[in-house]
Amino acid sequence: AQSLGDFEFIICDNSSSDRTVEIARSFADPRIRVLQNERNLGFGPNWNRCLQETRGRYIKILPHDDLLHPRCLEAQARILDEDPQEAIALVFCARRIIGPRGKELMTRGPRGPKAIHSGPEMARKTALSGTNPIGEPGAVLFRAAAARAAGPFNESRPFVIDIDYWLRLLKFGNAVYLPEALASFRISSGSQ
């Protein structure tokens, strides 16, 4: 349901035990590619497989139970499209934290308007807050070129795998913050 229609959707099934692959393959849409791991790799290695498989200019990792607002890709891609010098490595947005059934629990993200942040500034904010001010993967769209330069996700740090990666990406450009909540991060008893 994204307002931006030009995207590749890679479903990288991590050896699920439900009907995920069957359902994913039932869609006759050339934008969708379904990949299936023979065994569960864990989320870090699965995310790295996604990075290896992408062919587009921009990348977003969306865990299976998280959601995107219909304008998310369009709003974030526009920021990167309007930056021909590629001074921006990633775009992040406010996000809704939702419960297992989708009830909104809170909205997270830096307070304030749309803003550009440098890598050192975001590293400082991260250290001072003790949290992830950039956000969970669904809230972030980043350049494939920056991802190639940064390398894979560091699988040895599962609890900070995303913020570690965002800060590594910011060695190759700035971050732009969009204050609109364009992504939802789901928490439940089974969440990692």
Side-chain angles (χ1 to χ4, degrees), residues 27-59:
F27 292 95
D29 187 329
R31 298 174 298 179
I32 298 174
R33 271 199 306 150
V34 181
L35 308 174
Q36 188 174 17
N37 296 333
E38 291 181 17
R39 62 179 177 78
N40 187 306
L41 305 176
F43 70 90
N46 195 49
W47 290 1
N48 281 327
R49 182 167 187 212
C50 292
L51 287 181
Q52 293 170 353
E53 294 288 342
T54 61
R55 298 181 289 213
R57 292 184 301 150
Y58 312 138
I59 301 170

Short mmCIF file of all heavy atoms in Angstrom, two decimals, residues 27-59:
data_model
loop_
_atom_site.label_atom_id
_atom_site.label_comp_id
_atom_site.label_asym_id
_atom_site.label_seq_id
_atom_site.Cartn_x
_atom_site.Cartn_y
_atom_site.Cartn_z
N PHE A 27 1.52 -13.88 -4.35
CA PHE A 27 1.35 -12.56 -4.97
C PHE A 27 2.03 -12.53 -6.33
O PHE A 27 3.21 -12.84 -6.45
CB PHE A 27 1.93 -11.46 -4.08
CG PHE A 27 1.17 -11.27 -2.80
CD1 PHE A 27 1.57 -11.90 -1.63
CD2 PHE A 27 0.05 -10.46 -2.76
CE1 PHE A 27 0.87 -11.74 -0.46
CE2 PHE A 27 -0.66 -10.28 -1.60
CZ PHE A 27 -0.25 -10.93 -0.44
N ALA A 28 1.28 -12.17 -7.35
CA ALA A 28 1.83 -12.06 -8.70
C ALA A 28 2.27 -10.62 -8.93
O ALA A 28 1.60 -9.85 -9.60
CB ALA A 28 0.78 -12.49 -9.73
N ASP A 29 3.39 -10.28 -8.34
CA ASP A 29 3.91 -8.91 -8.42
C ASP A 29 5.41 -9.01 -8.71
O ASP A 29 6.16 -9.57 -7.90
CB ASP A 29 3.65 -8.18 -7.10
CG ASP A 29 4.01 -6.71 -7.15
OD1 ASP A 29 4.94 -6.32 -7.90
OD2 ASP A 29 3.37 -5.93 -6.42
N PRO A 30 5.87 -8.50 -9.85
CA PRO A 30 7.29 -8.64 -10.20
C PRO A 30 8.23 -7.90 -9.25
O PRO A 30 9.44 -8.16 -9.26
CB PRO A 30 7.37 -8.05 -11.62
CG PRO A 30 6.18 -7.16 -11.73
CD PRO A 30 5.11 -7.76 -10.87
N ARG A 31 7.70 -7.02 -8.39
CA ARG A 31 8.55 -6.31 -7.43
C ARG A 31 8.92 -7.20 -6.24
O ARG A 31 9.82 -6.87 -5.49
CB ARG A 31 7.84 -5.05 -6.90
CG ARG A 31 7.53 -4.04 -7.99
CD ARG A 31 6.72 -2.90 -7.44
NE ARG A 31 5.45 -3.40 -6.93
CZ ARG A 31 4.51 -2.66 -6.36
NH1 ARG A 31 4.70 -1.36 -6.24
NH2 ARG A 31 3.40 -3.18 -5.92
N ILE A 32 8.22 -8.31 -6.07
CA ILE A 32 8.42 -9.17 -4.91
C ILE A 32 9.35 -10.33 -5.25
O ILE A 32 9.14 -11.04 -6.23
CB ILE A 32 7.08 -9.73 -4.39
CG1 ILE A 32 6.17 -8.58 -3.94
CG2 ILE A 32 7.31 -10.72 -3.25
CD1 ILE A 32 4.77 -9.01 -3.56
N ARG A 33 10.39 -10.50 -4.44
CA ARG A 33 11.28 -11.66 -4.54
C ARG A 33 11.23 -12.38 -3.20
O ARG A 33 11.41 -11.77 -2.15
CB ARG A 33 12.73 -11.24 -4.79
CG ARG A 33 13.07 -11.10 -6.23
CD ARG A 33 14.56 -11.13 -6.50
NE ARG A 33 15.31 -10.15 -5.73
CZ ARG A 33 16.58 -10.33 -5.33
NH1 ARG A 33 17.22 -11.45 -5.59
NH2 ARG A 33 17.20 -9.39 -4.66
N VAL A 34 10.99 -13.66 -3.23
CA VAL A 34 10.90 -14.46 -2.01
C VAL A 34 12.13 -15.35 -1.93
O VAL A 34 12.39 -16.15 -2.82
CB VAL A 34 9.62 -15.30 -1.97
CG1 VAL A 34 9.54 -16.10 -0.68
CG2 VAL A 34 8.39 -14.42 -2.13
N LEU A 35 12.88 -15.19 -0.85
CA LEU A 35 14.05 -16.01 -0.58
C LEU A 35 13.77 -16.80 0.69
O LEU A 35 13.10 -16.32 1.60
CB LEU A 35 15.28 -15.14 -0.37
CG LEU A 35 15.57 -14.11 -1.46
CD1 LEU A 35 16.72 -13.22 -1.06
CD2 LEU A 35 15.86 -14.80 -2.77
N GLN A 36 14.30 -18.01 0.77
CA GLN A 36 14.02 -18.85 1.93
C GLN A 36 15.32 -19.44 2.45
O GLN A 36 16.05 -20.10 1.71
CB GLN A 36 13.04 -19.96 1.54
CG GLN A 36 12.53 -20.75 2.69
CD GLN A 36 11.45 -21.74 2.26
OE1 GLN A 36 11.30 -22.04 1.08
NE2 GLN A 36 10.70 -22.24 3.22
N ASN A 37 15.61 -19.18 3.72
CA ASN A 37 16.79 -19.78 4.36
C ASN A 37 16.47 -21.23 4.71
O ASN A 37 15.37 -21.54 5.18
CB ASN A 37 17.16 -19.02 5.63
CG ASN A 37 17.57 -17.59 5.34
OD1 ASN A 37 18.06 -17.27 4.27
ND2 ASN A 37 17.36 -16.71 6.30
N GLU A 38 17.43 -22.12 4.50
CA GLU A 38 17.23 -23.53 4.83
C GLU A 38 17.08 -23.75 6.32
O GLU A 38 16.42 -24.68 6.77
CB GLU A 38 18.39 -24.36 4.29
CG GLU A 38 18.42 -24.43 2.78
CD GLU A 38 19.56 -25.29 2.28
OE1 GLU A 38 20.13 -26.09 3.06
OE2 GLU A 38 19.89 -25.16 1.09
N ARG A 39 17.73 -22.88 7.12
CA ARG A 39 17.63 -22.96 8.58
C ARG A 39 17.56 -21.54 9.11
O ARG A 39 17.91 -20.58 8.41
CB ARG A 39 18.81 -23.72 9.17
CG ARG A 39 20.15 -23.05 8.90
CD ARG A 39 21.31 -23.81 9.52
NE ARG A 39 22.57 -23.19 9.21
CZ ARG A 39 23.06 -22.10 9.79
NH1 ARG A 39 22.40 -21.51 10.76
NH2 ARG A 39 24.23 -21.58 9.42
N ASN A 40 17.09 -21.39 10.33
CA ASN A 40 16.99 -20.07 10.95
C ASN A 40 18.41 -19.58 11.24
O ASN A 40 19.16 -20.21 11.99
CB ASN A 40 16.16 -20.14 12.23
CG ASN A 40 15.90 -18.77 12.80
OD1 ASN A 40 16.81 -17.98 13.03
ND2 ASN A 40 14.64 -18.47 13.03
N LEU A 41 18.77 -18.45 10.64
CA LEU A 41 20.11 -17.89 10.80
C LEU A 41 20.21 -16.95 11.99
O LEU A 41 21.31 -16.55 12.36
CB LEU A 41 20.48 -17.10 9.53
CG LEU A 41 20.39 -17.82 8.20
CD1 LEU A 41 20.70 -16.86 7.05
CD2 LEU A 41 21.32 -19.02 8.18
N GLY A 42 19.09 -16.55 12.57
CA GLY A 42 19.08 -15.46 13.54
C GLY A 42 18.84 -14.18 12.76
O GLY A 42 19.05 -14.11 11.54
N PHE A 43 18.38 -13.12 13.46
CA PHE A 43 18.00 -11.93 12.70
C PHE A 43 19.19 -11.18 12.11
O PHE A 43 19.10 -10.67 11.00
CB PHE A 43 17.07 -11.00 13.51
CG PHE A 43 17.71 -10.30 14.66
CD1 PHE A 43 18.29 -9.06 14.50
CD2 PHE A 43 17.68 -10.85 15.93
CE1 PHE A 43 18.86 -8.40 15.57
CE2 PHE A 43 18.23 -10.19 17.01
CZ PHE A 43 18.83 -8.96 16.83
N GLY A 44 20.34 -11.13 12.78
CA GLY A 44 21.50 -10.42 12.23
C GLY A 44 21.98 -11.01 10.92
O GLY A 44 22.10 -10.30 9.91
N PRO A 45 22.25 -12.30 10.87
CA PRO A 45 22.65 -12.92 9.60
C PRO A 45 21.57 -12.80 8.52
O PRO A 45 21.88 -12.64 7.34
CB PRO A 45 22.91 -14.38 9.98
CG PRO A 45 23.27 -14.34 11.43
CD PRO A 45 22.43 -13.23 12.01
N ASN A 46 20.30 -12.85 8.93
CA ASN A 46 19.22 -12.70 7.95
C ASN A 46 19.22 -11.29 7.38
O ASN A 46 19.04 -11.09 6.17
CB ASN A 46 17.88 -13.05 8.58
CG ASN A 46 16.80 -13.26 7.54
OD1 ASN A 46 16.97 -13.98 6.57
ND2 ASN A 46 15.67 -12.61 7.73
N TRP A 47 19.42 -10.29 8.24
CA TRP A 47 19.50 -8.90 7.75
C TRP A 47 20.68 -8.76 6.78
O TRP A 47 20.57 -8.08 5.76
CB TRP A 47 19.67 -7.92 8.90
CG TRP A 47 18.47 -7.76 9.77
CD1 TRP A 47 17.26 -8.40 9.69
CD2 TRP A 47 18.37 -6.90 10.90
NE1 TRP A 47 16.42 -7.98 10.69
CE2 TRP A 47 17.08 -7.06 11.45
CE3 TRP A 47 19.25 -6.02 11.51
CZ2 TRP A 47 16.64 -6.36 12.57
CZ3 TRP A 47 18.82 -5.31 12.63
CH2 TRP A 47 17.53 -5.48 13.15
N ASN A 48 21.80 -9.40 7.10
CA ASN A 48 22.96 -9.32 6.20
C ASN A 48 22.66 -10.00 4.87
O ASN A 48 23.12 -9.53 3.82
CB ASN A 48 24.20 -9.91 6.87
CG ASN A 48 24.82 -8.92 7.83
OD1 ASN A 48 24.78 -7.71 7.61
ND2 ASN A 48 25.38 -9.42 8.91
N ARG A 49 21.91 -11.07 4.89
CA ARG A 49 21.52 -11.69 3.62
C ARG A 49 20.68 -10.70 2.81
O ARG A 49 20.83 -10.58 1.59
CB ARG A 49 20.74 -12.97 3.85
CG ARG A 49 20.38 -13.62 2.51
CD ARG A 49 19.88 -15.01 2.61
NE ARG A 49 19.73 -15.54 1.24
CZ ARG A 49 18.84 -16.41 0.89
NH1 ARG A 49 18.00 -16.92 1.79
NH2 ARG A 49 18.75 -16.81 -0.35
N CYS A 50 19.78 -10.00 3.47
CA CYS A 50 18.97 -8.99 2.77
C CYS A 50 19.87 -7.93 2.13
O CYS A 50 19.64 -7.55 0.98
CB CYS A 50 17.99 -8.32 3.75
SG CYS A 50 16.68 -9.41 4.34
N LEU A 51 20.87 -7.45 2.89
CA LEU A 51 21.80 -6.45 2.33
C LEU A 51 22.46 -6.98 1.06
O LEU A 51 22.61 -6.27 0.07
CB LEU A 51 22.88 -6.07 3.34
CG LEU A 51 22.51 -5.20 4.51
CD1 LEU A 51 23.74 -4.94 5.38
CD2 LEU A 51 21.90 -3.88 4.06
N GLN A 52 22.88 -8.23 1.09
CA GLN A 52 23.56 -8.83 -0.07
C GLN A 52 22.65 -8.97 -1.27
O GLN A 52 23.11 -8.91 -2.42
CB GLN A 52 24.11 -10.21 0.30
CG GLN A 52 25.22 -10.18 1.31
CD GLN A 52 25.55 -11.57 1.83
OE1 GLN A 52 24.87 -12.55 1.54
NE2 GLN A 52 26.61 -11.66 2.61
N GLU A 53 21.38 -9.15 -1.04
CA GLU A 53 20.42 -9.42 -2.12
C GLU A 53 19.84 -8.17 -2.77
O GLU A 53 19.26 -8.25 -3.84
CB GLU A 53 19.28 -10.29 -1.60
CG GLU A 53 19.71 -11.69 -1.19
CD GLU A 53 20.04 -12.58 -2.38
OE1 GLU A 53 19.63 -12.28 -3.51
OE2 GLU A 53 20.72 -13.61 -2.15
N THR A 54 19.96 -7.03 -2.12
CA THR A 54 19.32 -5.82 -2.65
C THR A 54 19.98 -5.35 -3.93
O THR A 54 21.19 -5.50 -4.12
CB THR A 54 19.33 -4.67 -1.62
OG1 THR A 54 20.68 -4.35 -1.31
CG2 THR A 54 18.58 -5.03 -0.37
N ARG A 55 19.16 -4.73 -4.79
CA ARG A 55 19.66 -4.21 -6.06
C ARG A 55 19.36 -2.73 -6.23
O ARG A 55 19.77 -2.12 -7.21
CB ARG A 55 19.03 -4.99 -7.22
CG ARG A 55 19.40 -6.47 -7.19
CD ARG A 55 18.81 -7.22 -8.34
NE ARG A 55 17.37 -7.36 -8.18
CZ ARG A 55 16.66 -8.39 -8.58
NH1 ARG A 55 17.24 -9.39 -9.19
NH2 ARG A 55 15.36 -8.43 -8.40
N GLY A 56 18.62 -2.14 -5.31
CA GLY A 56 18.21 -0.75 -5.43
C GLY A 56 19.23 0.25 -4.89
O GLY A 56 20.27 -0.13 -4.34
N ARG A 57 18.91 1.51 -5.03
CA ARG A 57 19.79 2.59 -4.53
C ARG A 57 19.62 2.82 -3.04
O ARG A 57 20.53 3.34 -2.40
CB ARG A 57 19.48 3.90 -5.26
CG ARG A 57 19.87 3.89 -6.72
CD ARG A 57 19.63 5.25 -7.38
NE ARG A 57 18.23 5.61 -7.27
CZ ARG A 57 17.77 6.85 -7.20
NH1 ARG A 57 18.60 7.86 -7.23
NH2 ARG A 57 16.48 7.09 -7.12
N TYR A 58 18.47 2.48 -2.51
CA TYR A 58 18.17 2.68 -1.10
C TYR A 58 17.71 1.36 -0.49
O TYR A 58 17.18 0.50 -1.19
CB TYR A 58 17.06 3.73 -0.91
CG TYR A 58 17.26 5.00 -1.70
CD1 TYR A 58 16.19 5.60 -2.35
CD2 TYR A 58 18.51 5.61 -1.81
CE1 TYR A 58 16.36 6.77 -3.07
CE2 TYR A 58 18.69 6.76 -2.54
CZ TYR A 58 17.61 7.35 -3.17
OH TYR A 58 17.77 8.50 -3.89
N ILE A 59 17.90 1.25 0.83
CA ILE A 59 17.57 0.01 1.54
C ILE A 59 16.78 0.33 2.81
O ILE A 59 17.11 1.28 3.52
CB ILE A 59 18.85 -0.77 1.92
CG1 ILE A 59 19.67 -1.11 0.68
CG2 ILE A 59 18.50 -2.03 2.72
CD1 ILE A 59 21.06 -1.67 0.98
#
